[in-house]
């Protein structure tokens, strides 16, 4: 198992280098001059040129990349807009997005697995139809519309939960439900399909013929074998939540990384966007590493490959 984890960790090195190069180059493909934006419309050519020199924007791209990575590693890379270290600007917002995504994926996994198991066990019953209807509703509903609907019902009409901002546990309930609704629907559909596939295999019918209890067949044999594709979906969806939480953060005024990156893109704040993308990509890669390790626990044959 340790060799399996070590091989996966070594693979992270070229992935991280590739992500850093792509995130660095992508921002330079966007039209616009950050030095001109910072200097203002009435700035002279000399003033704009001095800003380019100050932030190294006058140097060739390979040199800029080396300076960028040096700044990231020693923590001295500064935001063009605020002049503060980028990591200090990003870190608290990244933790807020990570907190929101973690709560959302936990809610999604709990609801999705529960509904998926019920739908598979009660296949072709009214419960199965209800769960499939719920999952279709969850997948189809736009995030911003669901968020506004929840605010109207639970904040404005009932007054149970705050409409926006970040504070106690009550502030994260509505944003996490909004962000996790579509994911819970996807997990439910995947769990149902995977469990039905396993339930039709010979070893399940054999266990049933030998009088093994239904609870043991479902939770020990069927669910364990059906979890591998479900774990894949949960890992991928968590990565999408990290990068795609900007709509939820905007609707609920959540001070997360998504909104901050979008604002920085409009301001052509290259360092903030580049480091933000790198951080999200690195977290996504680490989540996939965790998914690979979970595979190995669920199916020992994977460790031997």
């Amino acid at each position: 198992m340790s060799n399996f984890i070590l091989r996966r960790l070594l693979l992270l090195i070229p992935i991280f280098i590739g992500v850093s190069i792509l995130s660095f180059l992508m921002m330079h493909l966007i039209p616009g001059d950050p030095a001109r934006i910072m200097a203002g419309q009435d700035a002279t050519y000399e003033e704009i040129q001095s800003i380019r020199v100050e932030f190294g924007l006058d140097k060739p791209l390979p040199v800029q990349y080396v300076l960028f990575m040096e700044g990231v590693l020693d923590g001295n890379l500064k935001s063009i807009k605020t002049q503060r270290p980028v990591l200090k600007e990003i870190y608290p917002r990244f933790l807020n997005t990570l907190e929101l995504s973690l709560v959302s994926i936990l809610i999604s996994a709990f609801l999705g697995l529960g509904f998926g198991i019920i739908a598979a066990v009660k296949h072709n019953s009214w419960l199965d139809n209800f769960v499939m209807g719920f999952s279709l509703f969850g997948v189809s509903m736009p995030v911003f519309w669901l968020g506004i609907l929840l605010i109207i019902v639970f904040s404005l009409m009932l007054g149970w939960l705050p409409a926006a901002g970040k504070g106690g546990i009550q502030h994260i309930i509505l944003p996490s439900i909004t962000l996790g609704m579509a994911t819970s629907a996807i997990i439910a559909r995947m769990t149902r399909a995977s469990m039905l596939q396993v339930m039709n295999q010979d070893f399940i019918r054999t266990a049933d013929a030998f009088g093994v209890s239904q609870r043991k067949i479902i939770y020990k044999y069927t669910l364990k074998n059906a979890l591998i594709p479900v774990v894949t979906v949960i890992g991928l969806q968590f990565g999408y939540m990290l990068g795609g939480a900007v709509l939820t953060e905007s609707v609920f005024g959540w001070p997360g990384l998504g909104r901050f990156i979008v604002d920085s893109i409009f301001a052509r704040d290259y360092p903030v966007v580049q480091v933000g993308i790198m951080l999200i990509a690195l977290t996504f890669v680490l989540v996939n590493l965790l998914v690979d390790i979970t595979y190995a626990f669920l199916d020992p044959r994977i460790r031997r490959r």
Side-chain angles (χ1 to χ4, degrees):
M1 188 67 185
S2 58
N3 289 334
F4 174 81
I5 296 175
L6 182 62
R7 287 199 304 271
R8 291 293 187 275
L9 286 174
L10 289 176
L11 283 175
L12 295 185
I13 298 174
I15 293 174
F16 177 72
I17 294 173
V19 167
S20 69
I21 293 174
L22 285 175
S23 62
F24 176 80
L25 292 178
M26 273 194 300
M27 278 306 295
H28 287 273
L29 294 176
I30 300 176
D33 185 351
R36 185 176 293 279
I37 293 174
M38 285 183 62
Q41 293 183 347
D42 300 328
T44 62
Y45 173 80
E46 288 74 18
E47 290 171 338
I48 296 173
Q49 190 62 21
S50 68
I51 293 175
R52 289 199 183 103
V53 172
E54 180 182 354
F55 290 97
L57 298 173
D58 60 328
K59 294 181 171 57
L61 277 182
V63 178
Q64 288 189 43
Y65 173 73
V66 173
L67 294 174
F68 165 71
M69 289 306 298
E70 284 180 359
V72 171
L73 295 176
D74 61 22
N76 291 325
L77 187 69
K78 289 185 178 179
S79 163
I80 294 177
K81 183 179 178 182
T82 64
Q83 304 290 309
R84 294 186 63 211
V86 171
L87 292 180
K88 286 187 178 178
E89 292 272 5
I90 283 182
Y91 184 67
R93 294 176 173 87
F94 174 70
L95 290 184
N96 291 338
T97 298
L98 189 64
E99 178 187 357
L100 177 61
S101 300
L102 278 173
V103 175
S104 299
I105 199 68
L106 287 176
I107 292 174
S108 303
F110 178 76
L111 292 177
L113 284 171
F115 284 150
I117 292 170
I118 291 172
V121 173
K122 303 294 183 184
H123 182 51
N124 285 335
S125 68
W126 70 268
L127 270 174
D128 184 20
N129 295 330
F130 172 77
V131 171
M132 288 302 98
F134 162 78
S135 63
L136 184 62
F137 177 74
V139 170
S140 308
M141 187 174 296
V143 170
F144 65 91
W145 188 82
L146 176 62
I148 293 172
L149 189 67
L150 291 177
I151 288 174
I152 292 174
V153 174
F154 292 99
S155 299
L156 301 182
M157 295 176 65
L158 300 175
W160 290 353
L161 295 168
K166 185 179 185 302
I169 296 175
Q170 68 275 17
H171 285 85
I172 201 171
I173 295 176
L174 293 184
S176 57
I177 291 175
T178 302
L179 185 60
M181 177 63 80
T183 301
S184 65
I186 294 171
I187 294 173
R189 296 180 77 88
M190 177 59 71
T191 304
R192 175 184 179 273
S194 185
M195 283 196 67
L196 286 176
Q197 187 177 10
V198 176
M199 288 167 74
N200 288 324
Q201 293 187 7
D202 290 340
F203 75 97
I204 295 295
R205 286 196 287 267
T206 304
D208 191 32
F210 274 92
V212 179
S213 67
Q214 285 299 310
R215 179 180 292 273
K216 192 172 183 179
I217 289 175
I218 292 169
Y219 291 104
K220 184 173 182 180
Y221 301 134
T222 308
L223 184 59
K224 184 178 179 181
N225 286 280
L227 271 181
I228 289 182
V230 179
V231 169
T232 304
V233 170
I234 292 175
L236 290 174
Q237 289 298 318
F238 181 69
Y240 294 143
M241 284 180 178
L242 284 172
V246 59
L247 283 178
T248 306
E249 292 172 356
S250 299
V251 171
F252 290 96
W254 187 265
L257 185 58
R259 285 180 61 197
F260 188 55
I261 289 179
V262 171
D263 293 340
S264 300
I265 289 174
F266 287 118
R268 299 295 187 271
D269 197 345
Y270 288 173
V272 170
V273 180
Q274 289 160 343
V275 175
I277 293 173
M278 280 177 56
L279 199 55
I280 291 174
L282 185 61
T283 308
F284 191 90
V285 171
L286 291 176
V287 169
N288 277 280
L289 172 66
L290 189 62
V291 169
D292 285 346
I293 295 173
T294 308
Y295 282 170
F297 276 112
L298 292 173
D299 188 352
R301 293 172 297 179
I302 295 176
R303 302 177 212 166
R304 304 188 196 104
R305 292 176 186 171

